[in-house]
Short mmCIF file of all heavy atoms in Angstrom, two decimals:
data_model
loop_
_atom_site.label_atom_id
_atom_site.label_comp_id
_atom_site.label_asym_id
_atom_site.label_seq_id
_atom_site.Cartn_x
_atom_site.Cartn_y
_atom_site.Cartn_z
N LEU Y 13 40.54 150.63 46.28
CA LEU Y 13 40.36 149.14 46.11
C LEU Y 13 40.08 148.79 44.71
O LEU Y 13 40.66 147.79 44.20
CB LEU Y 13 39.03 148.70 47.02
CG LEU Y 13 38.64 147.27 46.90
CD1 LEU Y 13 39.72 146.42 47.42
CD2 LEU Y 13 37.37 147.06 47.74
N ALA Y 14 39.30 149.49 43.96
CA ALA Y 14 39.14 149.13 42.54
C ALA Y 14 40.52 149.30 41.79
O ALA Y 14 40.82 148.39 40.91
CB ALA Y 14 38.16 150.07 41.93
N PHE Y 15 41.25 150.23 42.02
CA PHE Y 15 42.55 150.52 41.34
C PHE Y 15 43.45 149.32 41.67
O PHE Y 15 44.17 148.70 40.72
CB PHE Y 15 43.14 151.73 41.83
CG PHE Y 15 44.63 151.96 41.22
CD1 PHE Y 15 44.78 152.36 39.97
CD2 PHE Y 15 45.66 151.74 42.11
CE1 PHE Y 15 46.11 152.54 39.42
CE2 PHE Y 15 46.97 151.92 41.54
CZ PHE Y 15 47.28 152.29 40.21
N THR Y 16 43.41 148.88 43.05
CA THR Y 16 44.29 147.76 43.38
C THR Y 16 43.94 146.47 42.68
O THR Y 16 44.77 145.70 42.20
CB THR Y 16 44.36 147.58 44.94
OG1 THR Y 16 44.78 148.80 45.49
CG2 THR Y 16 45.22 146.55 45.30
N LEU Y 17 42.69 146.22 42.62
CA LEU Y 17 42.14 144.91 42.09
C LEU Y 17 42.47 144.99 40.48
O LEU Y 17 42.90 143.91 40.03
CB LEU Y 17 40.70 144.67 42.25
CG LEU Y 17 40.25 144.48 43.62
CD1 LEU Y 17 38.87 144.47 43.88
CD2 LEU Y 17 40.84 143.26 44.24
N ILE Y 18 42.29 146.16 39.91
CA ILE Y 18 42.44 146.13 38.36
C ILE Y 18 43.92 145.97 38.25
O ILE Y 18 44.33 145.20 37.30
CB ILE Y 18 41.99 147.44 37.79
CG1 ILE Y 18 40.45 147.52 37.89
CG2 ILE Y 18 42.53 147.70 36.27
CD1 ILE Y 18 39.88 148.92 37.48
N LEU Y 19 44.76 146.64 38.91
CA LEU Y 19 46.26 146.58 38.85
C LEU Y 19 46.79 145.12 39.01
O LEU Y 19 47.58 144.58 38.41
CB LEU Y 19 46.93 147.55 39.81
CG LEU Y 19 48.41 147.66 39.70
CD1 LEU Y 19 48.86 148.07 38.29
CD2 LEU Y 19 48.87 148.70 40.81
N LEU Y 20 46.17 144.57 40.14
CA LEU Y 20 46.45 143.07 40.37
C LEU Y 20 46.15 142.18 39.24
O LEU Y 20 46.97 141.34 38.72
CB LEU Y 20 45.72 142.62 41.63
CG LEU Y 20 46.08 141.23 42.22
CD1 LEU Y 20 47.50 141.22 42.74
CD2 LEU Y 20 45.16 140.88 43.36
N ALA Y 21 45.02 142.33 38.57
CA ALA Y 21 44.64 141.46 37.40
C ALA Y 21 45.57 141.79 36.28
O ALA Y 21 45.88 140.87 35.48
CB ALA Y 21 43.13 141.83 37.05
N GLY Y 22 45.82 143.05 36.00
CA GLY Y 22 46.74 143.46 34.89
C GLY Y 22 48.13 142.81 35.07
O GLY Y 22 48.73 142.41 34.08
N ALA Y 23 48.66 142.88 36.28
CA ALA Y 23 49.92 142.38 36.53
C ALA Y 23 49.98 140.85 36.45
O ALA Y 23 50.93 140.30 36.04
CB ALA Y 23 50.45 142.59 38.03
N TYR Y 24 48.76 140.18 36.89
CA TYR Y 24 48.76 138.78 36.65
C TYR Y 24 48.85 138.36 35.22
O TYR Y 24 49.60 137.42 34.82
CB TYR Y 24 47.33 138.19 37.23
CG TYR Y 24 47.19 136.67 36.97
CD1 TYR Y 24 47.63 135.74 37.77
CD2 TYR Y 24 46.44 136.28 35.99
CE1 TYR Y 24 47.44 134.46 37.59
CE2 TYR Y 24 46.18 135.01 35.79
CZ TYR Y 24 46.80 134.04 36.58
OH TYR Y 24 46.57 132.64 36.31
N CYS Y 25 48.12 139.04 34.32
CA CYS Y 25 48.21 138.83 32.86
C CYS Y 25 49.66 139.26 32.35
O CYS Y 25 50.07 138.37 31.48
CB CYS Y 25 47.20 139.84 32.12
SG CYS Y 25 45.49 139.28 32.54
N ALA Y 26 50.25 140.23 32.89
CA ALA Y 26 51.68 140.60 32.52
C ALA Y 26 52.63 139.38 32.80
O ALA Y 26 53.36 138.98 31.98
CB ALA Y 26 52.08 141.71 33.23
N GLY Y 27 52.48 138.89 34.02
CA GLY Y 27 53.24 137.70 34.53
C GLY Y 27 53.05 136.45 33.48
O GLY Y 27 53.95 135.78 33.23
N LEU Y 28 51.82 136.19 33.36
CA LEU Y 28 51.38 135.05 32.57
C LEU Y 28 51.94 135.17 31.13
O LEU Y 28 52.54 134.17 30.63
CB LEU Y 28 50.00 135.04 32.51
CG LEU Y 28 49.23 133.83 31.50
CD1 LEU Y 28 49.66 132.50 32.09
CD2 LEU Y 28 47.75 134.00 31.55
N LEU Y 29 51.74 136.30 30.43
CA LEU Y 29 52.28 136.49 29.09
C LEU Y 29 53.91 136.54 29.05
O LEU Y 29 54.52 135.94 28.27
CB LEU Y 29 51.82 137.77 28.50
CG LEU Y 29 50.35 137.75 27.99
CD1 LEU Y 29 49.98 139.26 27.64
CD2 LEU Y 29 50.09 136.87 26.90
N GLY Y 30 54.37 137.11 30.01
CA GLY Y 30 55.85 137.11 30.06
C GLY Y 30 56.54 135.75 30.27
O GLY Y 30 57.57 135.54 29.72
N SER Y 31 55.92 134.82 31.07
CA SER Y 31 56.26 133.60 31.27
C SER Y 31 56.12 132.72 30.05
O SER Y 31 56.95 131.97 29.61
CB SER Y 31 55.58 132.88 32.49
OG SER Y 31 55.87 131.52 32.67
N LEU Y 32 55.02 132.83 29.38
CA LEU Y 32 54.66 132.03 28.13
C LEU Y 32 55.57 132.43 26.93
O LEU Y 32 56.01 131.62 26.11
CB LEU Y 32 53.24 132.11 27.78
CG LEU Y 32 52.21 131.55 28.69
CD1 LEU Y 32 50.79 131.83 28.22
CD2 LEU Y 32 52.53 130.03 28.80
N THR Y 33 55.93 133.84 26.88
CA THR Y 33 56.77 134.16 25.76
C THR Y 33 58.27 134.16 26.12
O THR Y 33 59.06 134.48 25.20
CB THR Y 33 56.40 135.44 25.38
OG1 THR Y 33 56.47 136.44 26.58
CG2 THR Y 33 54.91 135.57 24.85
N GLY Y 34 58.67 134.09 27.39
CA GLY Y 34 60.08 134.13 27.68
C GLY Y 34 60.65 135.51 27.80
O GLY Y 34 61.81 135.64 28.01
N LEU Y 35 59.74 136.49 27.64
CA LEU Y 35 60.26 137.90 27.79
C LEU Y 35 60.21 138.43 29.25
O LEU Y 35 60.86 139.48 29.43
CB LEU Y 35 59.32 138.80 26.95
CG LEU Y 35 59.53 138.51 25.44
CD1 LEU Y 35 58.43 139.41 24.60
CD2 LEU Y 35 60.67 138.88 24.95
N GLY Y 36 59.59 137.82 30.19
CA GLY Y 36 59.57 138.23 31.57
C GLY Y 36 58.46 139.27 31.81
O GLY Y 36 58.07 139.97 30.80
N GLY Y 37 57.79 139.22 32.98
CA GLY Y 37 56.80 140.17 33.33
C GLY Y 37 57.03 141.63 33.24
O GLY Y 37 56.30 142.49 33.00
N GLY Y 38 58.39 142.00 33.50
CA GLY Y 38 58.63 143.42 33.53
C GLY Y 38 58.54 144.11 32.27
O GLY Y 38 58.22 145.28 32.22
N VAL Y 39 58.66 143.33 31.18
CA VAL Y 39 58.58 143.91 29.82
C VAL Y 39 57.13 144.34 29.63
O VAL Y 39 56.89 145.38 28.88
CB VAL Y 39 58.97 142.84 28.73
CG1 VAL Y 39 58.62 143.34 27.29
CG2 VAL Y 39 60.39 142.67 28.90
N VAL Y 40 56.10 143.65 30.28
CA VAL Y 40 54.74 144.08 30.06
C VAL Y 40 54.26 144.99 31.06
O VAL Y 40 53.39 145.90 30.88
CB VAL Y 40 53.92 142.78 30.07
CG1 VAL Y 40 52.48 143.13 29.70
CG2 VAL Y 40 54.44 141.78 29.21
N VAL Y 41 54.84 144.87 32.35
CA VAL Y 41 54.37 145.64 33.50
C VAL Y 41 54.64 147.15 33.20
O VAL Y 41 53.69 148.06 33.46
CB VAL Y 41 55.18 145.29 34.70
CG1 VAL Y 41 54.92 146.37 35.85
CG2 VAL Y 41 54.63 144.01 35.25
N ILE Y 42 55.78 147.55 32.72
CA ILE Y 42 55.99 149.10 32.58
C ILE Y 42 55.06 149.67 31.47
O ILE Y 42 54.50 150.68 31.81
CB ILE Y 42 57.46 149.31 32.19
CG1 ILE Y 42 58.33 148.95 33.42
CG2 ILE Y 42 57.69 150.74 31.82
CD1 ILE Y 42 59.74 149.22 33.22
N PRO Y 43 54.88 149.07 30.33
CA PRO Y 43 53.80 149.60 29.39
C PRO Y 43 52.41 149.71 30.01
O PRO Y 43 51.58 150.64 29.81
CB PRO Y 43 53.87 148.75 28.12
CG PRO Y 43 55.19 148.11 28.17
CD PRO Y 43 55.59 148.05 29.59
N LEU Y 44 52.07 148.64 30.83
CA LEU Y 44 50.84 148.58 31.35
C LEU Y 44 50.63 149.80 32.48
O LEU Y 44 49.50 150.38 32.41
CB LEU Y 44 50.58 147.23 32.28
CG LEU Y 44 49.45 147.08 33.14
CD1 LEU Y 44 48.24 146.97 32.27
CD2 LEU Y 44 49.57 145.88 34.02
N LEU Y 45 51.64 149.98 33.18
CA LEU Y 45 51.43 151.05 34.24
C LEU Y 45 51.57 152.46 33.74
O LEU Y 45 50.76 153.39 33.99
CB LEU Y 45 52.72 150.99 35.20
CG LEU Y 45 52.63 149.79 36.16
CD1 LEU Y 45 53.93 149.63 37.11
CD2 LEU Y 45 51.34 149.76 37.06
N THR Y 46 52.43 152.71 32.57
CA THR Y 46 52.62 153.97 32.14
C THR Y 46 51.53 154.27 30.99
O THR Y 46 50.97 155.41 31.14
CB THR Y 46 53.97 154.20 31.45
OG1 THR Y 46 54.16 153.15 30.50
CG2 THR Y 46 55.08 154.02 32.52
N LEU Y 47 51.21 153.44 30.11
CA LEU Y 47 50.29 153.69 29.03
C LEU Y 47 48.94 153.59 29.46
O LEU Y 47 47.96 154.25 29.09
CB LEU Y 47 50.63 152.77 27.91
CG LEU Y 47 51.98 152.95 27.18
CD1 LEU Y 47 52.15 152.08 26.11
CD2 LEU Y 47 52.12 154.41 26.81
N ALA Y 48 48.65 152.39 30.31
CA ALA Y 48 47.18 152.13 30.67
C ALA Y 48 46.76 152.91 32.02
O ALA Y 48 45.61 153.38 32.04
CB ALA Y 48 47.01 150.63 30.88
N PHE Y 49 47.67 152.93 32.85
CA PHE Y 49 47.15 153.59 34.04
C PHE Y 49 47.77 155.05 34.36
O PHE Y 49 47.43 155.68 35.45
CB PHE Y 49 47.67 152.65 35.36
CG PHE Y 49 47.11 151.39 35.43
CD1 PHE Y 49 47.44 150.36 34.91
CD2 PHE Y 49 45.70 151.35 36.05
CE1 PHE Y 49 46.87 149.09 34.98
CE2 PHE Y 49 45.00 150.13 36.04
CZ PHE Y 49 45.58 149.03 35.49
N GLY Y 50 48.79 155.48 33.50
CA GLY Y 50 49.28 156.72 33.64
C GLY Y 50 50.30 157.01 34.78
O GLY Y 50 50.40 158.11 35.18
N VAL Y 51 50.90 155.93 35.24
CA VAL Y 51 51.74 155.97 36.30
C VAL Y 51 53.03 156.64 35.84
O VAL Y 51 53.49 156.36 34.78
CB VAL Y 51 52.00 154.53 36.92
CG1 VAL Y 51 53.08 154.66 38.01
CG2 VAL Y 51 50.68 153.90 37.38
N ASP Y 52 53.59 157.53 36.69
CA ASP Y 52 55.03 158.09 36.31
C ASP Y 52 55.97 156.95 36.13
O ASP Y 52 56.02 155.90 36.80
CB ASP Y 52 55.41 159.01 37.49
CG ASP Y 52 56.67 159.72 37.36
OD1 ASP Y 52 57.80 159.07 37.54
OD2 ASP Y 52 56.74 160.79 36.83
N PHE Y 53 56.88 157.22 35.13
CA PHE Y 53 57.79 156.20 34.73
C PHE Y 53 58.85 155.65 35.91
O PHE Y 53 59.15 154.53 36.06
CB PHE Y 53 58.70 156.74 33.54
CG PHE Y 53 58.70 156.00 32.34
CD1 PHE Y 53 57.86 156.57 31.25
CD2 PHE Y 53 59.17 154.54 32.27
CE1 PHE Y 53 57.85 155.76 30.10
CE2 PHE Y 53 59.10 154.03 31.04
CZ PHE Y 53 58.33 154.50 29.96
N HIS Y 54 59.17 156.71 36.80
CA HIS Y 54 60.09 156.21 37.91
C HIS Y 54 59.36 155.39 38.98
O HIS Y 54 60.04 154.47 39.27
CB HIS Y 54 60.57 157.51 38.60
CG HIS Y 54 61.36 158.33 37.73
ND1 HIS Y 54 60.96 159.41 36.94
CD2 HIS Y 54 62.85 158.36 37.53
CE1 HIS Y 54 61.99 160.11 36.27
NE2 HIS Y 54 63.08 159.39 36.63
#
């Protein structure tokens, strides 16, 4: 539950920044998952 809530909040910030900068949320999501959460790249 804690992991899901933190991931949800992080993804929300990624989508927000991606929308404001025009880069898209995916550009932020992958570094968030791999560098911050240690999720496998695939």
Side-chain angles (χ1 to χ4, degrees):
L13 178 61
F15 174 77
T16 301
L17 292 176
I18 294 173
L19 187 57
L20 187 65
Y24 176 85
C25 294
L28 178 64
L29 286 172
S31 177
L32 291 176
T33 57
L35 293 175
V39 172
V40 189
V41 163
I42 293 181
L44 173 70
L45 292 175
T46 56
L47 298 178
F49 292 99
V51 175
D52 182 272
F53 241 108
H54 292 95

